[in-house]
Amino acid sequence: MTSSISERITQIRASLPPSVRLIAVTKQMPTEVIRAAYAAGIRDFGENRIQEAANKQAELFDLPDITWHFIGHLQTNKAKKALEQFNWIHSVDNLKLAQRLDQLAQQLGVKPQVCLQVKILPDPNKSGWSVPELLADLPALDLCKNLQIQGLMTIPPFGLDDAEINYVFNSTSKLAKEIAAQPWTHLQMNELSMGMSGDYQLAVQAGATMVRLGTILFGKRT
């Protein structure tokens, strides 16, 4: 299994432009899988559950150069733990959460890197700002000086064809450019976290700087 993981990682990394960061999504995967990916050169790992990640991080204390990315839905009451455990939070999906993270980050003396989760198309199964909501909240987000807001994250709704997925990714890229063109104090739009195992190539074509890959690297979760 270790050799096949290594081979898949090598193959995928070779297909990605140097500007694209590969985040290995290891939710529901044992720590030996993370160690295999680490041995193959991966240093960015994505988890979507706070407690599951904490258990793995404790077991992997001997790998201090891992960058941990939180990619799941974050409840406000778990915000402190997320800040303590993760370098990146990709799924900041509303103003209340952003402001709570900002307040806690100041208390903890950390400067987390975050992405704002946006929904280009309506999707009852996903959290995130609609485009009009995000644009309205940008001035308040710019006041969150303890957060390093680096860009946008998006997940297309299930069941779209390639043309519709392209629309979502290209619209997200265009939105980031529109936001970046305004004179913000703290908002940056250098990162686009978009693309998973089934659609990452489309995301890369649209300008993704981070792709979140699990199944294509590790196989189906049991």
Side-chain angles (χ1 to χ4, degrees):
M1 182 182 181
T2 300
S3 61
S4 62
I5 288 174
S6 177
E7 288 165 9
R8 285 198 289 266
I9 287 172
T10 300
Q11 191 175 13
I12 297 293
R13 289 180 83 183
S15 74
L16 292 174
S19 58
V20 177
R21 193 168 180 173
L22 171 54
I23 299 164
V25 178
T26 48
K27 62 183 180 182
Q28 299 172 12
M29 290 289 168
T31 51
E32 55 262 33
V33 166
I34 298 178
R35 288 188 182 277
Y38 182 94
I42 296 291
R43 293 295 181 270
D44 293 279
F45 291 90
E47 291 281 336
N48 71 336
R49 294 183 186 276
I50 298 284
Q51 189 56 54
E52 181 185 344
N55 295 339
K56 292 176 183 177
Q57 288 165 343
E59 290 182 45
L60 298 165
F61 69 92
D62 56 315
L63 305 179
D65 59 337
I66 285 179
T67 297
W68 292 99
H69 300 254
F70 188 78
I71 59 173
H73 175 61
L74 181 58
Q75 297 170 315
T76 307
N77 64 351
K78 300 281 181 67
K80 183 172 183 284
K81 288 185 176 180
L83 289 173
E84 291 169 341
Q85 290 175 223
F86 290 89
N87 312 96
W88 278 83
I89 300 174
H90 290 235
S91 48
V92 177
D93 57 16
N94 64 79
L95 180 59
K96 180 184 174 185
L97 175 60
Q99 291 172 331
R100 181 62 176 150
L101 287 167
D102 182 57
Q103 179 187 36
L104 289 167
Q106 183 175 27
Q107 293 172 12
L108 295 168
V110 296
K111 291 273 191 179
Q113 305 200 76
V114 306
C115 292
L116 307 175
Q117 185 171 350
V118 63
K119 294 196 291 188
I120 297 297
L121 297 175
D123 186 352
N125 300 310
K126 301 282 190 317
S127 301
W129 277 276
S130 69
V131 174
E133 289 167 347
L134 179 59
L135 293 175
D137 283 345
L138 287 174
L141 288 164
D142 194 41
L143 297 175
C144 295
K145 61 181 184 296
N146 301 292
L147 304 181
Q148 299 185 69
I149 298 175
Q150 299 286 9
L152 303 179
M153 186 270 256
T154 200
I155 306 170
F158 291 120
L160 301 187
D161 62 29
D162 282 1
E164 293 166 322
I165 294 169
N166 267 327
Y167 171 79
V168 170
F169 290 152
N170 283 308
S171 296
T172 305
S173 181
K174 181 183 175 190
L175 176 62
K177 290 185 176 76
E178 290 173 3
I179 295 170
Q182 299 174 55
W184 305 110
T185 303
H186 295 109
L187 286 175
Q188 301 286 324
M189 284 289 136
N190 300 320
E191 303 287 348
L192 286 175
S193 172
M194 55 190 197
M196 298 188 291
S197 290
D199 57 20
Y200 76 94
Q201 291 163 317
L202 297 175
V204 169
Q205 290 169 14
T209 63
M210 295 188 280
V211 294
R212 310 177 304 274
L213 306 185
T215 305
I216 199 169
L217 300 180
F218 307 120
K220 295 280 187 189
R221 294 174 184 84
T222 53

